Short mmCIF file of all heavy atoms in Angstrom, two decimals:
data_model
loop_
_atom_site.label_atom_id
_atom_site.label_comp_id
_atom_site.label_asym_id
_atom_site.label_seq_id
_atom_site.Cartn_x
_atom_site.Cartn_y
_atom_site.Cartn_z
N GLU W 287 -19.05 -41.67 -34.12
CA GLU W 287 -20.46 -41.84 -34.38
C GLU W 287 -21.24 -42.08 -33.10
O GLU W 287 -20.74 -42.73 -32.20
CB GLU W 287 -20.68 -43.04 -35.34
CG GLU W 287 -22.05 -43.13 -35.87
CD GLU W 287 -22.18 -44.17 -36.96
OE1 GLU W 287 -21.22 -44.94 -37.12
OE2 GLU W 287 -23.22 -44.23 -37.61
N LEU W 309 -36.00 -40.54 -40.40
CA LEU W 309 -35.03 -41.16 -39.52
C LEU W 309 -33.78 -40.31 -39.52
O LEU W 309 -33.46 -39.68 -40.51
CB LEU W 309 -34.67 -42.57 -40.04
CG LEU W 309 -35.77 -43.63 -40.05
CD1 LEU W 309 -35.27 -44.89 -40.63
CD2 LEU W 309 -36.30 -43.87 -38.64
N PRO W 310 -33.01 -40.29 -38.40
CA PRO W 310 -31.78 -39.54 -38.36
C PRO W 310 -30.80 -40.11 -39.39
O PRO W 310 -30.91 -41.27 -39.83
CB PRO W 310 -31.26 -39.78 -36.94
CG PRO W 310 -32.47 -40.15 -36.13
CD PRO W 310 -33.33 -40.88 -37.08
N VAL W 311 -29.81 -39.31 -39.76
CA VAL W 311 -28.85 -39.67 -40.81
C VAL W 311 -28.00 -40.89 -40.43
O VAL W 311 -27.47 -41.58 -41.27
CB VAL W 311 -27.95 -38.47 -41.15
CG1 VAL W 311 -26.93 -38.25 -40.03
CG2 VAL W 311 -27.31 -38.63 -42.47
N TYR W 312 -27.98 -41.18 -39.13
CA TYR W 312 -27.14 -42.32 -38.66
C TYR W 312 -27.64 -43.66 -39.17
O TYR W 312 -26.97 -44.67 -39.08
CB TYR W 312 -27.08 -42.28 -37.13
CG TYR W 312 -26.71 -40.95 -36.57
CD1 TYR W 312 -27.68 -40.11 -36.03
CD2 TYR W 312 -25.41 -40.50 -36.56
CE1 TYR W 312 -27.35 -38.85 -35.57
CE2 TYR W 312 -25.01 -39.29 -36.10
CZ TYR W 312 -26.03 -38.47 -35.58
OH TYR W 312 -25.68 -37.19 -35.11
N PHE W 313 -28.90 -43.70 -39.65
CA PHE W 313 -29.41 -44.92 -40.17
C PHE W 313 -29.32 -45.05 -41.68
O PHE W 313 -29.83 -45.96 -42.28
CB PHE W 313 -30.91 -45.08 -39.76
CG PHE W 313 -31.08 -45.20 -38.28
CD1 PHE W 313 -31.67 -44.21 -37.55
CD2 PHE W 313 -30.62 -46.28 -37.56
CE1 PHE W 313 -31.82 -44.26 -36.20
CE2 PHE W 313 -30.79 -46.40 -36.20
CZ PHE W 313 -31.38 -45.38 -35.51
N ASN W 314 -28.66 -44.04 -42.29
CA ASN W 314 -28.45 -44.02 -43.71
C ASN W 314 -27.06 -44.54 -44.11
O ASN W 314 -26.14 -44.53 -43.29
CB ASN W 314 -28.63 -42.63 -44.28
CG ASN W 314 -30.05 -42.14 -44.32
OD1 ASN W 314 -30.54 -41.53 -43.40
ND2 ASN W 314 -30.75 -42.42 -45.42
N GLU W 315 -26.97 -45.02 -45.38
CA GLU W 315 -25.69 -45.25 -45.96
C GLU W 315 -25.42 -44.10 -47.01
O GLU W 315 -26.37 -43.48 -47.47
CB GLU W 315 -25.67 -46.58 -46.68
CG GLU W 315 -26.69 -46.79 -47.76
CD GLU W 315 -26.67 -48.15 -48.36
OE1 GLU W 315 -26.01 -49.05 -47.79
OE2 GLU W 315 -27.37 -48.35 -49.38
N PRO W 316 -24.16 -43.79 -47.29
CA PRO W 316 -23.86 -42.59 -48.11
C PRO W 316 -24.13 -42.83 -49.58
O PRO W 316 -23.31 -42.53 -50.45
CB PRO W 316 -22.37 -42.36 -47.86
CG PRO W 316 -21.83 -43.70 -47.55
CD PRO W 316 -22.93 -44.43 -46.80
N ILE W 317 -25.32 -43.31 -49.88
CA ILE W 317 -25.76 -43.54 -51.27
C ILE W 317 -27.29 -43.26 -51.33
O ILE W 317 -28.05 -43.56 -50.41
CB ILE W 317 -25.49 -45.05 -51.61
CG1 ILE W 317 -24.01 -45.34 -51.80
CG2 ILE W 317 -26.21 -45.44 -52.96
CD1 ILE W 317 -23.70 -46.76 -52.09
N ILE W 367 -27.51 -53.07 -43.89
CA ILE W 367 -28.59 -52.84 -42.96
C ILE W 367 -28.95 -51.38 -42.85
O ILE W 367 -29.93 -51.01 -42.17
CB ILE W 367 -28.17 -53.32 -41.52
CG1 ILE W 367 -26.93 -52.56 -41.04
CG2 ILE W 367 -27.99 -54.87 -41.52
CD1 ILE W 367 -26.54 -52.97 -39.62
N CYS W 368 -28.25 -50.48 -43.56
CA CYS W 368 -28.57 -49.07 -43.54
C CYS W 368 -29.39 -48.72 -44.82
O CYS W 368 -29.23 -49.35 -45.84
CB CYS W 368 -27.31 -48.18 -43.49
SG CYS W 368 -26.37 -48.34 -42.01
N LYS W 369 -30.24 -47.72 -44.67
CA LYS W 369 -31.13 -47.36 -45.83
C LYS W 369 -30.47 -46.30 -46.66
O LYS W 369 -29.73 -45.46 -46.17
CB LYS W 369 -32.50 -46.85 -45.31
CG LYS W 369 -32.46 -45.52 -44.54
CD LYS W 369 -33.81 -45.13 -44.02
CE LYS W 369 -34.79 -44.84 -45.13
NZ LYS W 369 -34.53 -43.58 -45.85
N PRO W 370 -30.73 -46.34 -47.97
CA PRO W 370 -30.20 -45.28 -48.85
C PRO W 370 -30.94 -43.98 -48.61
O PRO W 370 -32.10 -43.96 -48.08
CB PRO W 370 -30.46 -45.81 -50.26
CG PRO W 370 -31.61 -46.74 -50.12
CD PRO W 370 -31.47 -47.33 -48.75
N PHE W 371 -30.36 -42.86 -49.00
CA PHE W 371 -31.06 -41.55 -48.91
C PHE W 371 -32.30 -41.53 -49.84
O PHE W 371 -32.18 -41.99 -50.99
CB PHE W 371 -30.10 -40.44 -49.27
CG PHE W 371 -29.19 -40.04 -48.14
CD1 PHE W 371 -27.99 -40.72 -47.90
CD2 PHE W 371 -29.50 -38.94 -47.35
CE1 PHE W 371 -27.15 -40.35 -46.90
CE2 PHE W 371 -28.66 -38.57 -46.34
CZ PHE W 371 -27.49 -39.29 -46.14
N ASN W 372 -33.33 -40.98 -49.35
CA ASN W 372 -34.51 -40.74 -50.19
C ASN W 372 -34.25 -39.51 -51.04
O ASN W 372 -34.06 -38.42 -50.49
CB ASN W 372 -35.76 -40.50 -49.31
CG ASN W 372 -37.05 -40.44 -50.08
OD1 ASN W 372 -37.05 -40.50 -51.33
ND2 ASN W 372 -38.13 -40.13 -49.41
N ARG W 556 -18.35 -49.68 -42.57
CA ARG W 556 -19.41 -49.99 -41.61
C ARG W 556 -20.74 -50.23 -42.34
O ARG W 556 -21.68 -50.82 -41.78
CB ARG W 556 -19.59 -48.90 -40.61
CG ARG W 556 -20.12 -47.55 -41.14
CD ARG W 556 -20.38 -46.54 -40.02
NE ARG W 556 -21.55 -46.97 -39.28
CZ ARG W 556 -22.78 -46.62 -39.58
NH1 ARG W 556 -23.05 -45.92 -40.64
NH2 ARG W 556 -23.82 -47.00 -38.85
N TYR W 557 -20.81 -49.80 -43.57
CA TYR W 557 -22.07 -49.96 -44.34
C TYR W 557 -22.10 -51.24 -45.11
O TYR W 557 -23.07 -51.55 -45.85
CB TYR W 557 -22.25 -48.74 -45.27
CG TYR W 557 -22.10 -47.39 -44.63
CD1 TYR W 557 -20.93 -46.64 -44.79
CD2 TYR W 557 -23.06 -46.88 -43.79
CE1 TYR W 557 -20.80 -45.42 -44.15
CE2 TYR W 557 -22.92 -45.67 -43.18
CZ TYR W 557 -21.80 -44.96 -43.33
OH TYR W 557 -21.68 -43.72 -42.73
N ARG W 585 -25.21 -33.71 -53.25
CA ARG W 585 -26.10 -33.63 -52.10
C ARG W 585 -25.26 -33.46 -50.83
O ARG W 585 -24.49 -34.38 -50.49
CB ARG W 585 -26.98 -34.83 -52.02
CG ARG W 585 -27.97 -34.77 -50.87
CD ARG W 585 -29.02 -35.82 -51.01
NE ARG W 585 -29.86 -35.89 -49.86
CZ ARG W 585 -31.07 -36.40 -49.75
NH1 ARG W 585 -31.60 -36.87 -50.83
NH2 ARG W 585 -31.75 -36.37 -48.65
N ASP W 587 -25.82 -33.45 -47.39
CA ASP W 587 -25.91 -34.39 -46.24
C ASP W 587 -25.28 -35.74 -46.56
O ASP W 587 -24.64 -36.33 -45.67
CB ASP W 587 -27.36 -34.54 -45.79
CG ASP W 587 -28.30 -34.90 -46.91
OD1 ASP W 587 -27.84 -34.90 -48.08
OD2 ASP W 587 -29.49 -35.18 -46.63
N LEU W 591 -21.98 -37.39 -44.66
CA LEU W 591 -22.04 -38.71 -44.01
C LEU W 591 -20.88 -39.58 -44.54
O LEU W 591 -20.23 -40.26 -43.82
CB LEU W 591 -23.38 -39.36 -44.35
CG LEU W 591 -23.55 -40.80 -43.83
CD1 LEU W 591 -23.44 -40.81 -42.32
CD2 LEU W 591 -24.84 -41.42 -44.31
N ASN W 600 -26.47 -34.69 -40.35
CA ASN W 600 -27.81 -34.69 -39.81
C ASN W 600 -28.50 -33.36 -39.93
O ASN W 600 -29.67 -33.23 -40.26
CB ASN W 600 -27.76 -35.13 -38.33
CG ASN W 600 -29.13 -35.71 -37.88
OD1 ASN W 600 -29.67 -36.57 -38.56
ND2 ASN W 600 -29.61 -35.18 -36.74
N LYS W 603 -29.51 -32.89 -43.55
CA LYS W 603 -30.62 -33.77 -43.85
C LYS W 603 -31.96 -33.14 -43.42
O LYS W 603 -32.97 -33.17 -44.13
CB LYS W 603 -30.47 -35.16 -43.20
CG LYS W 603 -31.50 -36.20 -43.60
CD LYS W 603 -31.12 -37.56 -43.08
CE LYS W 603 -32.09 -38.65 -43.61
NZ LYS W 603 -33.42 -38.55 -42.95
N GLU W 607 -35.01 -32.02 -45.84
CA GLU W 607 -36.35 -32.57 -45.66
C GLU W 607 -37.41 -31.49 -45.47
O GLU W 607 -38.58 -31.63 -45.85
CB GLU W 607 -36.33 -33.52 -44.46
CG GLU W 607 -35.68 -34.89 -44.76
CD GLU W 607 -35.50 -35.72 -43.52
OE1 GLU W 607 -35.74 -35.22 -42.37
OE2 GLU W 607 -35.17 -36.92 -43.63
#
Side-chain angles (χ1 to χ4, degrees):
E287 193 172 9
L309 298 176
V311 76
Y312 309 100
F313 297 110
N314 286 91
E315 58 184 9
I317 290 175
I367 60 175
C368 294
K369 67 183 294 288
F371 278 83
N372 185 1
R556 66 173 291 271
Y557 310 105
R585 181 168 175 158
D587 52 353
L591 178 61
N600 203 49
K603 185 172 186 289
E607 285 174 349

